[in-house]
Amino acid sequence: MINESPEYLRMSSAAAITLDLKPGLFYRAAKLYCINLLLTYKEGCIGNCAYCGLSMGRYGKYENKSFIRVEWPTYKVDEIIERILEKKERVKRICISMVTNIRAKNDIVKITGIIKNRVDIPISLLIAPTILNKDDLKAFKDSGADRIGISIDAATPMLFERLRGKYVKGPHRWDRYWECFDMAVEIFGERMVGSHLIVGLGETEKEMVATIQKVYDIGGLTHLFSFFPEKDSMLSNFPQPPIGQYRRVQIARYLIDEGISSFWKMGFDEDERVRDFGLPVDKLSRIIDSGIPFMTAGCPGNDGQVACNRPYANEIPGDEIRNFPFKPEKDDILRIKEELWQGG
């Protein structure tokens, strides 16, 4: 018998460790502040995204497939709620992710309402635009969600089509995702909708920065990821982007989302790599020294600080931390400065 939503949810390994549902420790004593949950069904997700561990084309039974390289064990919703209440001091936000499965539309509303009625913690929803309309988004807000995430992932229409659309026999369409983004901003408000974008799927830095600016101009914010190959996915042998490329895009994302600079003020070389962030050198140096641009970007808790900090979702824990789940220390900043102009 398969344990399915709405009675059951999968939970990230990091969240299960945070709630003491499974043993484990985080590298450098990092802490997770967001409980990441995932709807689950016997038939899984109808998406066939080339980089995703939940892809219908990936080998194995859906309930055994990893996501973002780690296991997502399944628990009863009631058990999850009880454990969140017991460990409430550790939790600043809850994020519930849909899969592209028509059953998820109603189930996520039901689950959000149940959790919100028992737990006074902000709830975000990572949604599946392909199966949604405006009324669904309104229902999400009415059920208690305060923020929405949309995984656009690929920075250009061509890459989106190649990795998520017709080229891989997937159902997703670039225009539909942006239509949904517009509707979500209308319903949830400016800066209450986040776009997931993955650096390193084949785009140039200029293309990625332009898409980050597009998200901001619509009224959203960008939650940035660095590509890491998922075992047995279609991109399992695709390399990670050079660390210098990721660092430059991180800075650009921070400057755009904070309203400090913009795509239009930045300069790019003949290979479309960032060469000028549109700021005086001293101001840029102070921002880099703060370490903040290199921390995980995600939905905040009630304290205004990032809660969805996803420790080591972009890399194997070690010296090369791509998204810092805590404020970088002095030695980290020195390393970041060395990395910044690597790879061109």
Side-chain angles (χ1 to χ4, degrees):
M1 179 178 177
I2 303 299
N3 295 327
E4 297 184 289
S5 299
E7 289 80 15
Y8 291 83
L9 289 167
R10 296 177 75 178
M11 178 187 296
S12 72
S13 290
I17 291 169
T18 297
L19 295 180
D20 292 335
L21 285 166
K22 64 179 295 185
L25 297 171
F26 292 109
Y27 177 65
R28 288 181 58 176
K31 290 181 172 60
L32 172 71
Y33 299 106
C34 180
I35 302 305
N36 300 101
L37 306 170
L38 177 70
L39 272 69
T40 184
Y41 302 100
K42 179 181 179 179
E43 61 271 24
C45 177
I46 65 170
N48 201 32
C49 303
Y51 48 85
C52 183
L54 300 178
S55 168
M56 64 178 178
R58 187 185 180 196
Y59 176 80
K61 294 182 179 179
Y62 178 77
E63 63 268 23
N64 296 327
K65 291 180 180 179
S66 62
F67 183 45
I68 321 178
R69 300 181 296 105
V70 297
E71 294 180 357
W72 286 61
T74 303
Y75 300 95
K76 284 188 174 182
V77 170
D78 286 343
E79 181 182 6
I80 293 169
I81 293 172
E82 289 301 325
R83 192 54 66 99
I84 289 173
L85 288 170
E86 290 175 15
K87 309 293 180 180
K88 194 173 181 181
E89 74 284 354
R90 302 180 184 181
V91 182
K92 296 183 179 181
R93 178 167 286 276
I94 299 164
C95 182
I96 311 171
S97 296
M98 297 179 68
V99 293
T100 307
N101 182 312
I102 198 65
R103 294 168 61 187
K105 290 175 44 162
N106 293 328
D107 286 347
I108 201 165
V109 171
K110 181 177 180 179
I111 292 167
T112 301
I114 290 170
I115 294 175
K116 193 64 181 177
N117 283 336
R118 294 182 60 187
V119 181
D120 186 22
I121 294 173
I123 299 176
S124 302
L125 303 181
L126 185 62
I127 63 173
T130 298
I131 58 173
L132 301 177
N133 58 40
K134 196 170 185 177
D135 287 340
D136 293 319
L137 296 177
K138 290 177 180 176
F140 295 165
K141 186 172 184 180
D142 291 343
S143 70
D146 72 320
R147 288 179 180 264
I148 289 293
I150 298 178
S151 293
I152 295 173
D153 294 348
T156 72
M158 181 184 71
L159 285 172
F160 190 99
E161 188 72 12
R162 184 184 299 168
L163 300 173
R164 312 195 69 190
K166 295 177 182 177
Y167 281 78
V168 290
K169 299 181 181 179
H172 305 313
R173 299 295 177 264
W174 172 263
D175 289 344
R176 178 62 191 141
Y177 268 63
W178 289 103
E179 289 169 4
C180 188
F181 205 99
D182 284 333
M183 289 189 295
V185 171
E186 178 185 342
I187 293 166
F188 284 82
E190 285 201 353
R191 314 300 169 220
M192 301 299 283
V193 183
S195 169
H196 289 192
L197 290 172
I198 301 174
V199 175
L201 292 177
E203 79 292 337
T204 67
E205 292 174 32
K206 186 175 183 180
E207 288 171 334
M208 178 58 75
V209 177
T211 302
I212 292 169
Q213 184 68 56
K214 179 178 180 178
V215 169
Y216 185 80
D217 290 345
I218 291 172
L221 296 170
T222 292
H223 303 160
L224 204 63
F225 293 74
S226 176
F227 172 76
F228 193 101
E230 187 89 55
K231 183 181 178 183
D232 298 327
S233 70
M234 285 181 270
L235 294 188
S236 60
N237 295 317
F238 202 72
Q240 277 193 287
I243 188 63
Q245 175 185 346
Y246 192 61
R247 294 294 184 224
R248 292 188 290 273
V249 176
Q250 280 181 306
I251 293 173
R253 193 254 1 135
Y254 176 80
L255 296 177
I256 291 170
D257 279 2
E258 294 297 319
I260 298 169
S261 188
S262 71
F263 170 79
W264 316 108
K265 294 179 182 178
M266 297 181 192
F268 303 84
D269 66 15
E270 64 276 8
D271 294 315
E272 299 196 347
R273 295 173 296 206
V274 181
R275 281 294 174 260
D276 179 359
F277 291 99
L279 290 181
V281 173
D282 59 339
K283 186 172 184 179
L284 179 61
S285 293
R286 288 195 297 272
I287 289 171
I288 292 172
D289 286 341
S290 75
I292 296 173
F294 314 104
M295 295 174 67
T296 307
C299 294
N302 285 327
D303 59 1
Q305 302 301 308
V306 171
C308 190
N309 59 340
R310 308 181 297 277
Y312 316 117
N314 292 259
E315 68 281 311
I316 296 171
D319 288 341
E320 190 184 276
I321 300 174
R322 298 211 165 201
N323 285 349
F324 282 81
F326 44 74
K327 192 169 182 179
E329 298 175 357
K330 185 177 179 180
D331 287 346
D332 297 319
I333 300 297
L334 292 174
R335 184 184 178 100
I336 287 167
K337 288 179 176 179
E338 292 175 356
E339 296 168 337
L340 182 55
W341 299 112
Q342 291 179 14

